Amino acid sequence: MTSPVTQHTVSILQVQHILLGARQRGLDMSVLLRRAGISEEMLAAPLSRVTQTQYARLIRILRRTLRDELWGLCSQPLRMGSFDQACRLLVNCKTLGEAFQKGFHFYHLLLSDFTPRLQREGDVASVRMVDAGDRDLLLAYAERSFSFMAYGLACWLVARRIPLVDVVYPEIEAGYASDATRLFQAPLRFERDWAGFRFEASWLDLPVVQTPQSLNEFLQQAPACLLVKYRDQTSLTERKIGRASCRERV
């Protein structure tokens, strides 16, 4: 019987993308994939998929091997412990808007290839990854991965799935199939100048409900917990299922 944590799967295209930095640095793909429990032959099968557990395990392996929390995708490594430190800062914020602002300011000190920004235009807020315009596939994937992490962390902070108006991917990836519509339950569009997502600005006023105590358990599982989809409904039942799924170690 398939366990709840493996019912949702990840496209092999995402595996290929997350390996771009390691491949560029000459690491042995077969060793990395074997440690994650992924068959190397799957890379040549465009319709194949891996479980969330396998994908999360591969993320952990890449982080440890490369000593980089963005897996070698940027020009400079994102130091280990950055995510933990950011989370400890954000659980002390009062609202989601404050958390976005403080979190992005924190990462602005660490990232040189792109800048995360929160913008508000009337009733719509946008989380944007903006770069200098010299985007390649590695940087494009780093930007949208950071967007996904920001979205998942935001949902966790307020214990709600935040409905999105739309999701923006880098234009350079327009020729690639994507799980974005299924993943975010929102329309996907492509832009040349930024990547990120948009949502109703009223969500910025939601209180942060997580605490330093709940953070400790979360950090033991991250990034696996961010792979649990905040989608479909925001019922108490769904959140209980999500927390139970997060407890499975990867």
Side-chain angles (χ1 to χ4, degrees):
M1 179 179 297
T2 303
S3 63
V5 78
T6 60
Q7 287 179 354
H8 298 299
T9 57
V10 178
S11 166
I12 197 65
L13 182 62
Q14 305 304 320
V15 175
Q16 293 171 345
H17 281 173
I18 204 173
L19 288 171
L20 285 171
R23 190 183 297 276
Q24 187 178 71
R25 284 158 176 73
L27 272 66
D28 190 329
M29 297 298 103
S30 61
V31 172
L32 296 173
L33 292 169
R34 184 169 62 250
R35 290 172 61 191
I38 300 172
S39 168
E40 189 174 8
E41 288 73 21
M42 294 180 70
L43 293 180
L47 298 181
S48 60
R49 305 183 70 86
V50 301
T51 67
Q52 288 185 11
T53 299
Q54 290 171 315
Y55 190 63
R57 186 180 295 123
L58 181 59
I59 288 176
R60 287 176 181 265
I61 291 168
L62 289 172
R63 289 175 72 203
R64 289 196 298 263
T65 302
L66 293 165
R67 305 300 298 172
D68 182 353
E69 294 196 349
L70 275 176
W71 325 300
L73 297 172
C74 296
S75 61
Q76 300 293 329
L78 181 58
R79 292 183 179 181
M80 297 291 287
S82 301
F83 181 77
D84 286 25
Q85 188 62 38
C87 290
R88 296 188 189 282
L89 175 69
L90 301 187
V91 292
N92 293 310
C93 292
K94 293 183 178 180
T95 67
L96 181 61
E98 181 186 353
F100 271 128
Q101 293 283 11
K102 286 191 175 181
F104 289 167
H105 178 73
F106 173 80
Y107 275 105
H108 180 68
L109 302 175
L110 303 176
L111 295 168
S112 58
D113 295 289
F114 64 90
T115 302
R117 295 176 180 167
L118 175 67
Q119 295 186 4
R120 184 167 183 166
E121 299 175 354
D123 296 333
V124 176
S126 60
V127 166
R128 301 179 176 224
M129 309 300 130
V130 182
D131 60 33
D134 299 325
R135 183 185 289 123
D136 57 14
L137 282 177
L138 277 75
L139 181 55
Y141 189 70
E143 289 175 344
R144 64 184 178 92
S145 295
F146 191 94
S147 296
F148 172 75
M149 295 294 183
Y151 176 69
L153 183 56
C155 292
W156 177 77
L157 286 169
V158 299
R160 298 283 299 277
R161 183 190 70 85
I162 301 170
L164 298 182
V165 173
D166 55 21
V167 178
V168 176
Y169 272 18
E171 193 176 62
I172 193 173
E173 294 190 303
Y176 293 87
S178 175
D179 283 346
T181 300
R182 180 180 65 86
L183 180 65
F184 293 104
Q185 296 292 292
L188 171 65
R189 61 189 179 91
F190 296 90
E191 293 283 350
R192 184 179 65 178
D193 300 326
W194 65 282
F197 53 88
R198 299 193 304 156
F199 56 98
E200 291 184 7
S202 58
W203 286 84
L204 295 174
D205 298 325
L206 255 63
V208 170
V209 299
Q210 303 296 344
T211 66
Q213 290 71 36
S214 62
L215 174 63
N216 289 331
E217 181 180 355
F218 174 76
L219 290 178
Q220 290 175 7
Q221 311 302 333
C225 281
L226 295 183
L227 295 173
V228 174
K229 306 299 187 290
Y230 287 89
R231 63 182 189 178
D232 300 333
Q233 57 182 344
T234 56
S235 66
L236 178 62
T237 300
E238 182 195 38
R239 294 198 296 274
K240 286 182 178 178
I241 291 173
R243 286 195 294 270
S245 298
C246 283
R247 294 192 182 99
E248 180 159 324
R249 289 298 187 98
V250 295

